[in-house]
Amino acid sequence: MNVSVVLFTSDLRLHDHPPLRAALEGAREVVPLFVRDRAVDAAGFAVPNRLAFLADCLRDLDAGLRERGGRLVLRSGDVVEEVCRVTGEAGADEVHLAADVSRYAQHREERLRHALEAKGVRLHVHDAVTAAVAPGAVTPAGSDRFAVFTPYFRRWSRERLREVLDAPRAVTVPDGVGSEQLPAHAGVSEGLAAGGEREGRARLAAWLRHGIAAYEDRHDDLAGDATSRLSPHLHFGTLSPVELVRRSRAAGGAGAEAFVRQVAWRDFHRQVLAARPAAAVADYRPRHDDWRTERTARDDIEAWREGRTGYPIVDAAMRQLRHEGWMHNRGRLLTASFLTKTLYVDWRIGARHFLELLIDGDMANNQLNWQWVAGTGTDSRPNRVLNPVTQAKRYDPDGAYVRRWVPELAGIEGAAVHEPWRLRGPDRAAAGYPDPVVELSEGLARFRRARGLG
């Protein structure tokens, strides 16, 4: 073998990259290839925030390759056609690719395998690249996936992870393989974080030094912002989940254990979607809901999207999402519960809005977390409803998070900021903050009726 192609997808890194390692071991020259998939654009998933983060990732990946004597080859179009074209230009006889879980990714892999076989080119698909434990690596008796997290986590925790691979020292790319120009960074959210492997590894190092030890105690502290913020780097693969789990376990302690559990949730959702691809758009466990839709709940949905529901903790989280392209995990739970259960709006509407803005917008985790909150997914308590006022007082007790993101309430001190409708006369008018779109008791009663709970 003389030339191999490595097709990068959601694994935009050089450290701990099994497809790249395998290609370099089997070939004299390697083509590191990324294809800007026009089908992703056509489906509406190429949104500004993720494109901006992707631009950072591709530029950083190219820079890392150039430091090692190589370069990134960028193409646009149909992935299968472009990979076949590049193998022809380079004279490559094999292609290496990380496994993925969505229905589209599985169909793309099947198309690619058939097309390459027709050209006499082998396709090698590598597991445990975008997940710590690959989907299907652990299964219960009589099923192709775990449907409940706790037994999955017990098995997941006993699984032996592969060794972490070093970044290559040198990468030689054959001449004559053309590339498009790398894209520019152009996001829509003002506070968008920077992407790329260097940024991801720096964040990981800082997290292991200063954040992970307190994670168990502080991960729900909205104002404290005490989570890792590594989810975008896991989504784009600028960090390896295998390395993340191994280094977290090495750090040790209750905080590290709680953090690793969250990484396991990510793998749990991936194995569910790999086995049930339709769960990206259809109820995993139907509850026979007659959801309110864009037509029947237009004003409520718009108020939710814009962060003006009249419930400060919900509005603060939605405004954080718009400003940063990211939202605290507790905020995601609260905003999703409010939309699906207090407003009784179809979870797919909320999931789509999140995918339009989140830089870590991941098909498995976004869709299945929305289903978990809506009660149509894997939650063993499908009818639980999170009270935004109670939750706000618990996870933002002095109101600092709300005042940060809802400036019209910045003058209200302490926990009173969570219930501005209780303000009197001039103080309430001066705030210029909307009244609640629905009374919590009314929303709860509507949800219970819809679910046949009395």
Side-chain angles (χ1 to χ4, degrees):
M1 293 182 290
N2 290 319
V3 181
S4 292
V5 172
V6 178
L7 178 61
F8 287 86
T9 55
S10 54
D11 50 348
L12 303 177
R13 63 181 185 269
L14 297 177
H15 290 81
D16 195 40
H17 198 285
L20 181 59
R21 168 63 68 88
L24 289 168
E25 288 178 347
R28 177 172 54 85
E29 296 178 316
V30 170
V31 181
L33 173 66
F34 183 86
V35 179
R36 172 73 184 274
D37 191 344
R38 293 307 187 203
V40 173
D41 294 2
F45 293 114
V47 298
N49 283 344
R50 287 199 296 283
L51 288 179
F53 199 90
L54 173 63
D56 289 348
C57 295
L58 294 177
R59 288 180 176 277
D60 186 72
L61 180 59
D62 180 66
L65 287 165
R66 290 183 184 277
E67 290 172 0
R68 294 163 172 81
R71 61 188 172 92
L72 179 65
V73 173
L74 178 66
R75 297 290 178 91
S76 297
D78 177 81
V79 173
V80 174
E81 292 177 3
E82 291 302 322
V83 171
C84 288
R85 187 172 290 119
V86 168
T87 59
E89 293 173 9
D93 52 12
E94 65 177 21
V95 173
H96 293 264
L97 168 70
D100 207 343
V101 297
S102 71
R103 173 175 284 172
Y104 174 73
Q106 292 178 33
H107 178 58
R108 180 182 62 194
E109 179 187 317
E110 182 181 1
R111 288 179 56 226
L112 184 58
R113 187 180 301 281
H114 289 321
L116 291 175
E117 286 177 352
K119 291 169 58 68
V121 178
R122 291 179 295 277
L123 177 65
H124 301 278
V125 180
H126 299 260
D127 289 326
V129 180
T130 62
V133 175
V138 294
T139 56
S143 180
D144 55 358
R145 88 286 182 216
F146 280 90
V148 179
F149 175 73
T150 299
Y152 172 79
F153 182 58
R154 285 197 293 266
R155 288 282 302 278
W156 184 94
S157 298
R158 295 196 299 267
E159 193 73 4
R160 180 177 176 82
L161 302 185
R162 62 171 178 76
E163 296 299 317
V164 175
L165 305 174
D166 292 332
R169 294 184 178 181
V171 177
T172 302
V173 179
D175 295 330
V177 181
S179 174
E180 299 173 6
Q181 289 188 343
L182 294 171
H185 179 111
V188 69
S189 296
E190 295 178 19
L192 197 66
E197 184 177 14
R198 286 180 177 82
E199 176 69 16
R201 296 189 70 78
R203 281 186 175 272
L204 173 59
W207 172 243
L208 293 173
R209 285 196 307 269
H210 306 300
I212 197 171
Y215 181 76
E216 183 181 36
D217 296 327
R218 299 192 61 206
H219 69 277
D220 275 323
D221 179 0
L222 282 160
D225 197 14
T227 63
S228 72
R229 288 186 176 250
L230 293 176
S231 55
H233 293 281
L234 286 172
H235 173 64
F236 282 91
T238 55
L239 283 180
S240 157
V242 170
E243 181 180 4
L244 180 58
V245 171
R246 281 189 170 275
R247 292 182 66 180
S248 297
R249 285 174 171 167
E257 291 175 7
F259 181 68
V260 167
R261 184 181 177 90
Q262 294 305 308
V263 181
W265 267 106
R266 181 176 182 272
D267 281 4
F268 171 73
H269 286 146
R270 293 177 73 81
Q271 59 95 39
V272 170
L273 190 64
R276 298 290 184 272
V281 294
D283 290 349
Y284 180 72
R285 288 177 175 154
R287 306 293 177 187
H288 309 293
D289 287 293
D290 184 19
W291 298 109
R292 300 170 75 209
T293 65
E294 291 272 10
R295 181 180 61 83
T296 59
R298 181 183 59 188
D299 291 345
D300 285 351
I301 294 168
E302 196 60 25
W304 177 82
R305 285 175 176 151
E306 294 179 1
R308 52 177 182 82
T309 66
Y311 290 95
I313 199 70
V314 172
D315 294 343
M318 294 303 293
R319 295 184 194 189
Q320 180 183 30
L321 171 62
R322 188 166 294 279
H323 182 79
E324 295 188 349
W326 184 88
M327 189 194 293
H328 192 287
N329 183 60
R330 177 55 53 176
R332 299 187 197 207
L333 293 173
L334 292 176
T335 56
S337 177
F338 188 82
L339 184 73
T340 59
K341 289 177 173 172
T342 303
L343 296 180
Y344 197 58
V345 168
D346 193 329
W347 65 265
R348 282 159 281 251
I349 293 172
R352 184 171 66 246
H353 181 71
F354 271 31
L355 284 177
E356 288 171 356
L357 291 175
L358 283 172
I359 47 177
D360 63 11
D362 178 276
M363 188 58 67
N365 287 288
N366 186 69
Q367 307 302 90
L368 289 171
N369 270 315
W370 268 95
Q371 290 223 49
W372 189 90
V373 176
T376 62
T378 61
D379 186 8
S380 59
R381 295 172 56 196
N383 298 318
R384 81 175 88 195
V385 178
L386 299 180
N387 182 307
V389 177
T390 302
Q391 293 273 309
K393 292 178 178 179
R394 181 179 301 165
Y395 299 117
D396 186 31
D398 67 358
Y401 178 75
V402 164
R403 282 187 289 274
R404 181 183 306 161
W405 294 108
V406 187
E408 57 266 46
L409 300 179
I412 303 175
E413 297 182 359
V417 76
H418 297 307
E419 299 174 282
W421 53 87
R422 294 184 179 273
L423 294 176
R424 302 285 181 182
D427 291 336
R428 183 169 182 175
Y433 185 69
D435 290 331
V437 294
V438 65
E439 292 291 337
L440 295 180
S441 59
E442 178 187 335
L444 178 60
R446 175 173 54 197
F447 174 71
R448 291 182 62 81
R449 287 194 304 271
R451 285 277 170 97
L453 303 173

